[in-house]
Amino acid sequence: MHMRLEVVQVPITDVDAAKAFYADVMGFVVDHDVEHIPGMRVVQLTPPGSAASIVIGTGMTAMAPGSLEGLQLVIPDLPAARRELVQRGAPVSDIQDMGGMLFAYVADPDGNRWVLQGDPAVDVHGTHQL
């Protein structure tokens, strides 16, 4: 048996605000923005370099906006990515070193919380470790 996780729904209140956050601030690629049937708008976005995407929209889920926690983005150089995201207006936490693993956290406009995980070969200052 072969299975791949390809799409995760993210519950939001305002499709346009969430789309702007994920595309313009987080740098996700907008794959499509369609209304398949009246009242059901589907916006699919993919993080750069990811095989999995997120979907936001209307008429798709009963999850409460802001209730999603713990989706994890793995980033080779977390310090550099954090600087870029902060410059774009993302509310990214400070980087935490958890015993050699680097983590930071960010939430979308609805409060859905993401974990940013850095490469353990890059320290909190962006220095590559041997």
Side-chain angles (χ1 to χ4, degrees):
M1 183 182 299
H2 183 82
M3 295 183 202
R4 292 188 318 252
L5 177 64
E6 293 192 3
V7 180
V8 175
Q9 290 186 26
V10 177
I12 48 89
T13 54
D14 182 324
V15 178
D16 292 320
K19 179 182 174 185
F21 174 79
Y22 285 109
D24 301 337
V25 177
M26 294 298 292
F28 289 21
V29 175
V30 178
D31 300 319
H32 62 262
D33 182 347
V34 296
E35 189 170 352
H36 294 290
I37 58 174
M40 184 178 183
R41 180 177 173 192
V42 178
V43 180
Q44 181 172 320
L45 303 109
T46 303
S50 179
S53 302
I54 63 167
V55 171
I56 58 174
T58 55
M60 298 185 309
T61 183
M63 287 188 290
S67 63
L68 198 58
E69 282 191 38
L71 287 179
Q72 195 157 329
L73 296 171
V74 178
I75 301 170
D77 187 342
L78 182 55
R82 183 189 179 280
R83 284 190 299 275
E84 183 177 335
L85 290 170
V86 168
Q87 287 175 348
R88 292 181 184 180
V92 183
S93 72
D94 289 336
I95 294 174
Q96 299 175 10
D97 185 334
M98 306 286 235
M101 294 297 294
L102 303 179
F103 293 95
Y105 306 90
V106 64
D108 71 11
D110 284 293
N112 294 298
R113 294 180 7 180
W114 292 78
V115 177
L116 309 179
Q117 177 188 328
D119 183 334
V122 179
D123 71 16
V124 71
H125 305 290
T127 305
H128 290 271
Q129 303 297 306
L130 297 176

